[in-house]
Amino acid sequence: MKVLVLGSGGREHALVWKLRQSPRVTRVYCLPGSGGIAADAECLPGDLKNLDALLHTANGIQPDLTVVGPERPLSEGVVDEFSRRGWRIFGPTAAAARLESSKAFAKEFMQRHNIPTAKYAVCSSDTELREALELFGPPIVVKADGLAAGKGVVLCATSEAAAKVAGDMLSGKVLEGAGRRVVLEECLEGEEISFMVVSDGERVIPLVAAQDFKRADDGDTGPNTGGMGSYSTDALLDDEMQEWLLTHVARPVVAGMRAEGFPYKGILYCGLMMTARGPQVLEFNCRFGDPETQPVLMRMESDLLGGFMASVEGRVSDGDLKWSHDAAVCVVLASGGYPGAYEVGKKITGIEEADRVEGVKVFHAGTTFRDGAFYTAGGRVLGVTARGADLAQAVSRAYSGVGRIHFEGMHFRKDIAARALKSVS
Ligand code: AMP
Ligand code: GLY
């Protein structure tokens, strides 16, 4: 089978790497891919923002299955367009992807279906904002309704700060219209968990859980980023809690979307806060998490293609996915300045040496390749991912890989999975 993966980040590199291991996959294409992904897939030039050109390229290669990495093409209807042409594609339609592309839709949907989530208010004018602010005590979380590439959520310490942040979003001063509607939310406390399931529109099967490290700096300080690292172990979610999340979150979402006329197929990513009053949904994503996918796929023992085909063909069933009890960890190496302004084009050394460390695979998140060397080409550059018999071994292998890599301005968190390690030792 010929498989086409859309995207260019670390998540897509991990998808390509795992798909290549499938005995049924004969060719893996990645559009646009990257310098690093080119080692594991045939990269095709293209721009995911240009749906017509994308359809033209896909028509040329006639993939047997297409897998979509990022959210934007999903929210712009790539699945609708491919399906209309009779091409198999893994992911939700644009209408179903509103669970991620509109936070107001997601909150109202959760309320309609009794899915546990933080108290909220949706505002589309200054008057509504003023009224809503009366209902919340600080701290207040302000969220732009639309897609904002990880920049749409601000935790505000005071009501005045929330008014300013939300006001700037509503006026279009920031985020170019993604914040023309805003969601205010009560601030929740607890451990965050990323829980992904595969859905065929009716049934769901879980992937192993992961934890993402969103803040730029050690000790969960600094600004939010796309994710500076992640890990996955069995201990993150026991069987009882997994069943609870399936019963109270994942299955009701899929049943609710189906009942409302928008069957949800693909990956449903549930971002959860494990609070003292139980798990609460922070957000849904309509695709694989990045960088959670890197350690999660490292633990997958079954054929990833099988899971995708089961979703596309509407026959997802328990036992489709098999998992190792090993732990896996991903440490992201970012460009100097990220998540703010950063420079690209820095020469990277040591990737091969890192890849040679036992259990390590270096996934490329933003690199180019020229004249025999890799250069930085993004904010997040590499995801050094390692598997180990336990978390301590996975962490030690990942950081051993990190220690071999260098580029000017490189920064990374030194405490990925450290809290979990401390609690088991
Ligand atoms: P979201 O894109 O909605 O997941 O928000 C991004 C990040 O902001 C989350 O991963 C949390 O770290 C944080 N966050 C979002 N909503 C809340 C909330 N209600 N309380 C506390 N933190 C939140
Ligand atoms: N790591 C969080 C996300 O992919 O949105």
Side-chain angles (χ1 to χ4, degrees):
M1 279 182 73
K2 289 183 285 180
V3 183
L4 169 64
V5 174
L6 302 181
S8 61
R11 162 186 53 207
E12 288 77 13
H13 192 184
L15 287 167
V16 154
W17 167 81
K18 190 66 192 168
L19 281 165
R20 248 182 60 148
Q21 296 168 16
S22 166
R24 290 151 68 196
V25 171
T26 49
R27 283 176 96 155
V28 183
Y29 299 96
C30 191
L31 188 156
S34 72
I37 292 177
D40 287 308
E42 294 172 50
C43 292
L44 303 169
D47 177 1
L48 293 184
K49 289 194 207 87
N50 186 341
L51 196 51
D52 287 336
L54 183 60
L55 290 165
H56 183 75
T57 306
N59 195 34
I61 58 169
Q62 294 285 322
D64 299 298
L65 176 72
T66 297
V67 178
V68 191
E71 59 277 17
R72 197 161 285 276
L74 292 166
S75 73
E76 288 170 356
V78 70
V79 168
D80 308 62
E81 291 298 329
F82 272 58
S83 305
R84 191 168 300 148
R85 288 163 177 75
W87 301 339
R88 275 188 293 225
I89 182 161
F90 176 77
T93 59
R98 279 180 302 166
L99 280 176
E100 176 169 3
S101 64
S102 169
K103 288 194 187 286
F105 174 84
K107 294 297 284 191
E108 285 158 2
F109 175 86
M110 283 189 269
Q111 191 168 47
R112 284 197 292 283
H113 297 280
N114 288 318
I115 294 162
T117 191
K119 189 178 97 172
Y120 74 101
V122 179
C123 317
S124 33
S125 70
D126 286 334
T127 319
E128 282 176 10
L129 175 61
R130 265 196 307 277
E131 282 167 15
L133 280 169
E134 303 280 316
L135 309 172
F136 290 85
I140 303 172
V141 185
V142 178
K143 299 186 176 185
D145 176 51
L147 295 180
K151 299 188 188 84
V153 176
V154 187
L155 271 67
C156 300
T158 64
S159 200
E160 292 69 32
K164 165 92 177 78
V165 168
D168 285 351
M169 286 183 185
L170 283 174
S171 68
K173 202 163 144 190
V174 293
L175 301 179
E176 293 164 6
R180 293 284 184 188
R181 278 205 297 176
V182 298
V183 175
L184 301 185
E185 241 180 61
E186 72 177 304
C187 192
L188 301 174
E189 275 177 43
E191 284 285 330
E192 276 187 56
I193 290 205
S194 306
F195 179 57
M196 295 185 270
V197 300
V198 178
S199 167
D200 64 3
E202 215 177 325
R203 287 163 299 260
V204 299
I205 43 171
L207 275 60
V208 286
Q211 189 170 58
D212 179 20
F213 292 75
K214 288 206 165 63
R215 308 289 285 270
D217 304 316
D218 286 354
D220 289 327
T221 57
N224 262 349
T225 68
M228 292 298 287
S230 55
Y231 77 94
S232 174
T233 59
D234 282 345
L236 262 175
L237 203 60
D238 62 26
D239 289 348
E240 202 181 327
M241 184 52 86
Q242 176 173 287
E243 193 49 39
W244 194 96
L245 292 174
L246 289 169
T247 307
H248 296 274
V249 180
R251 290 190 193 116
V253 170
V254 169
M257 291 300 279
R258 194 177 158 77
E260 294 191 13
F262 313 108
Y264 190 98
K265 286 186 169 203
I267 290 288
L268 174 69
Y269 167 124
C270 310
L272 302 155
M273 188 75 94
M274 309 307 267
T275 74
R277 66 173 197 257
Q280 304 277 317
V281 175
L282 294 176
E283 64 165 344
F284 293 118
N285 291 328
C286 57
R287 37 81 195 169
F288 282 99
D290 188 351
E292 292 95 322
T293 300
Q294 291 82 319
V296 165
L297 291 187
M298 264 213 166
R299 297 185 58 202
M300 185 185 274
E301 304 234 295
S302 42
D303 180 357
L304 178 58
L305 183 79
F308 290 151
M309 294 306 287
S311 164
V312 171
E313 293 174 352
R315 50 176 179 77
V316 156
S317 66
D318 291 338
D320 281 349
L321 300 178
K322 305 242 179 328
W323 302 96
S324 152
H325 295 299
D326 282 2
V329 176
C330 171
V331 180
V332 170
L333 307 184
S335 294
Y338 175 81
Y342 56 83
E343 282 179 42
V344 296
K346 309 290 183 197
K347 188 171 180 173
I348 311 169
T349 57
I351 295 177
E352 273 180 37
E353 289 84 341
D355 261 327
R356 278 200 292 269
V357 175
E358 195 177 350
V360 168
K361 169 75 186 169
V362 180
F363 293 114
H364 291 242
T367 65
T368 52
F369 187 74
R370 62 172 188 271
D371 306 328
F374 285 107
Y375 291 83
T376 65
R380 291 190 289 176
V381 177
L382 299 167
V384 182
T385 310
R387 183 169 158 169
D390 57 22
L391 188 59
Q393 187 176 52
V395 167
S396 135
R397 287 175 171 178
Y399 280 103
S400 164
V402 168
R404 288 163 167 77
I405 297 176
H406 178 76
F407 55 87
E408 191 191 318
M410 171 173 122
H411 76 97
F412 60 91
R413 277 186 60 166
K414 295 171 191 64
D415 65 345
I416 302 301
R419 215 164 45 241
L421 264 187
K422 217 182 257 166
S423 71
V424 290
S425 64

